[in-house]
Amino acid sequence: MTNDVLRVHGGLPLHGEIRVRGAKNLVSKAMVATLLGESPSILYDVPRIRDVDVVRGLLELHGVKISDGPDGEIIFDPANVESAGVDEINVHAGSSRIPILLCGPLLHRLGHAFIPDLGGCHIGDRPIDFHLEALRQFGAIVDKTPEGLHLTAPNGLHGTKFQLPYPSVGATEQVLLTAVRAQGVTELRNAAVEPEIIDLICALQKMGAIIKVSTDRVIEIEGVPTLRGYSHRPIPDRLEAASWACAALVTHGDITVRGARQVDMMTFLNVFSSIGGAFEVDDSPGGGIRFWHPGGDLRAVALETDVHPGFMTDWQQPLVVALTQAQGLSIVHETVYERRLGYTSALNSMGATIQVYRECLGGTPCRFGRRNFEHSAVIAGPSKLHAADLVIPDLRGGFSHLIAALAAEGTSHVYGVDLINRGYEDFEKKLAALGANAVRT
Ligand code: EPZ
């Protein structure tokens, strides 16, 4: 058994090349979609991360036969989808948010579904009210019990008109995965339109789904009675790519991220440039984006996180580490999750000067402004970071702790690093390839 602690000798610039694979936040949903097909699906370039293992385990429990091909290829055969026991499913309770997305596909295949208590990162309340309301509107009956959710659809699932109170990624996926085989037409308003959602729509279209994405966040889905399997190469992981870009900046390094695509990262690249980072896009096959610190001072910025095409909430944490090195006062207003700045106290213990506020700083008021959440941060820089002992709080906050330790002077101990495997494939090997001095103790 490995020890869950990394000893990091900071202060070395990270230099070299790494590669990102299919986006975690698409791959896990595309895996769920395989349940809807009558024939096998093939997904390419799947990263070896824990979230993939969790969904794989859940699908196998429900009778999907899964086999591995070369280089991240996975084949899913849903010919014998069957019910799984509550106790077996409960083994996965608390380990991921993805199980909630099995509702629609299982209702279509089996007429009933059991979903255990959900997990995922603790970055806010993360309710599932939009999901349940949508499922009810399709005709599902939801019975909440202490062990989880039991769902049935005695009269089948029927197309509906539904307006999301907020463009939630998960709830949009819930509606898509349910509507594609529901009877009739579904119109979803105020839908999320993140690139991962558009890629899920592409996979569903390959299966035979009819989905129209209109302007103003409206998606119309014409239900079809059967779907086939897909063969799909996912979009690259733009969250991982941005994390490594920030690692290059904060360590004064130079990292080429093979597989990263400009089109998915335009908003990030604007901010990266405006604070003084340099990048170069190679859009030939097998290309990527090179990110580096060009020397000189980094500049402060004011930004808020938002749904696509805004600045992603998952880009925020590594960027804040870079902003500790920028000249002047930066403002970051987190508008997607109410508790996604907790990781900053550890950065302060390393010498950063970050003050969090309950107010909506920087202009636009958001949903959290009147609800007493510390969701705005002012970062004063540049600060010299020094080593500390850190405990990883969640996936993205954890990666930001790690890159702060890599930039800091001295030896840090980072506890709970296994959590990073949830979303970053082979991150220790990648660190080694980039010349970092980080070893398990
Ligand atoms: C997805 O989470 C991602 N996770 C998150 O990435 C990402 O940060 C988030 O989308 C936003 O882009 C996966 O794809 C597995 P939401 P999701 O529903 O779908 C509120 C990472 O590190 N809401 O868009 O759970 C919710 O509380 C992870 O890779 C409700 O109120 O996010 C939040 O404030 C972390 N009721 C907001 O909507 C609901 O029923 C956006 O959440 C659902 C959501």
Side-chain angles (χ1 to χ4, degrees):
M1 205 174 117
T2 55
N3 197 340
D4 199 10
V5 187
L6 264 193
R7 189 171 59 221
V8 180
H9 297 287
L12 295 173
L14 299 188
H15 274 275
E17 234 182 71
I18 48 116
R19 183 165 104 80
V20 292
R21 298 226 220 197
K24 162 177 100 67
N25 290 348
L26 171 276
V27 163
S28 44
K29 326 299 172 60
M31 289 172 75
V32 174
T34 65
L35 276 170
L36 290 162
E38 305 286 324
S39 51
S41 291
I42 307 176
L43 198 55
Y44 300 100
D45 214 23
V46 178
R48 286 181 307 274
I49 51 174
R50 229 181 47 236
D51 269 17
V52 166
D53 295 339
V54 169
V55 186
R56 185 178 178 131
L58 274 168
L59 293 178
E60 281 174 338
L61 271 182
H62 287 93
V64 179
K65 288 216 163 24
I66 302 183
S67 49
D68 294 283
D71 199 24
E73 177 184 318
I74 307 191
I75 301 133
F76 303 84
D77 184 351
N80 297 307
V81 172
E82 60 191 17
S83 304
V86 169
D87 290 344
E88 295 167 300
I89 301 175
N90 257 331
V91 171
H92 297 276
S95 52
S96 164
R97 307 271 309 160
I98 308 296
I100 188 74
L101 295 178
L102 267 69
C103 293
L106 287 180
L107 284 172
H108 284 303
R109 290 300 297 253
L110 305 169
H112 59 90
F114 167 70
I115 307 299
D117 247 3
L118 297 177
C121 289
H122 300 294
I123 52 183
D125 273 352
R126 307 196 75 182
I128 50 168
D129 49 340
F130 305 164
H131 295 251
L132 299 187
E133 190 44 41
L135 287 161
R136 287 191 182 105
Q137 287 214 24
F138 279 107
I141 294 173
V142 183
D143 185 18
K144 279 191 191 177
T145 68
E147 59 193 356
L149 303 170
H150 291 272
L151 296 102
T152 50
N155 301 314
L157 297 167
H158 298 269
T160 181
K161 284 191 177 195
F162 191 68
Q163 164 131 5
L164 284 171
Y166 181 82
S168 149
V169 169
T172 299
E173 293 159 344
Q174 181 77 261
V175 170
L176 287 168
L177 291 165
T178 308
V180 283
R181 278 190 54 184
Q183 231 177 71
V185 175
T186 296
E187 183 188 272
L188 177 64
R189 294 192 163 266
N190 206 22
V193 290
E194 268 60 9
E196 291 78 9
I197 288 181
I198 302 301
D199 204 37
L200 177 63
I201 292 176
C202 289
L204 290 168
Q205 192 178 47
K206 287 173 177 168
M207 299 176 84
I210 302 171
I211 303 171
K212 195 164 90 194
V213 182
S214 306
T215 48
D216 296 332
R217 301 190 175 277
V218 179
I219 301 182
E220 200 180 280
I221 306 118
E222 203 179 306
V224 294
T226 56
L227 293 169
R228 52 186 175 270
Y230 63 69
S231 166
H232 192 67
R233 186 169 291 279
I235 59 164
D237 200 309
R238 65 197 176 113
L239 312 186
E240 183 181 355
S243 298
W244 290 113
C246 294
L249 204 53
V250 75
T251 63
H252 282 252
D254 187 334
I255 301 179
T256 297
V257 183
R258 294 255 163 249
R261 269 197 333 192
Q262 180 181 17
V263 66
D264 310 316
M265 299 187 70
M266 287 175 69
T267 309
F268 176 82
L269 293 172
N270 284 338
V271 173
F272 192 77
S273 278
S274 62
I275 66 173
F279 73 89
E280 191 175 70
V281 176
D282 168 3
D283 41 26
S284 60
I289 307 182
R290 174 184 163 213
F291 300 93
W292 74 99
H293 191 310
D297 287 337
L298 297 182
R299 295 179 290 274
V301 72
L303 66 85
E304 62 181 27
T305 62
D306 206 348
V307 293
H308 187 76
F311 190 88
M312 282 212 74
T313 170
D314 306 272
W315 289 332
Q316 177 257 104
Q317 309 75 1
L319 186 87
V320 164
V321 184
L323 292 178
T324 66
Q325 303 310 302
Q327 189 80 40
L329 292 182
S330 293
I331 297 175
V332 172
H333 178 202
E334 169 60 57
T335 77
V336 180
Y337 287 110
E338 64 273 33
R339 278 195 284 272
R340 223 176 179 183
L341 292 173
Y343 71 94
T344 56
S345 55
L347 301 182
N348 285 341
S349 76
M350 302 175 80
T353 309
I354 305 173
Q355 178 82 43
V356 289
Y357 294 87
R358 293 185 159 77
E359 292 77 17
C360 298
L361 297 185
T364 330
C366 77
R367 299 174 292 153
F368 309 135
R370 287 179 300 278
R371 291 172 53 203
N372 223 14
F373 295 115
E374 290 178 334
H375 71 294
S376 294
V378 175
I379 304 116
S383 302
K384 200 166 177 49
L385 298 180
H386 52 76
D389 284 353
L390 306 160
V391 180
I392 288 207
D394 60 70
L395 182 60
R396 309 292 168 194
F399 195 86
S400 77
H401 286 178
L402 189 59
I403 62 177
L406 289 162
E409 209 173 80
T411 303
S412 298
H413 291 91
V414 188
Y415 293 84
V417 282
D418 282 344
L419 213 154
I420 296 181
N421 291 317
R422 256 194 64 201
Y424 293 85
E425 182 184 46
D426 287 341
F427 77 93
E428 286 168 78
K429 278 194 196 145
K430 289 179 183 172
L431 286 176
L434 296 171
N437 187 338
V439 287
R440 294 262 176 175
T441 60

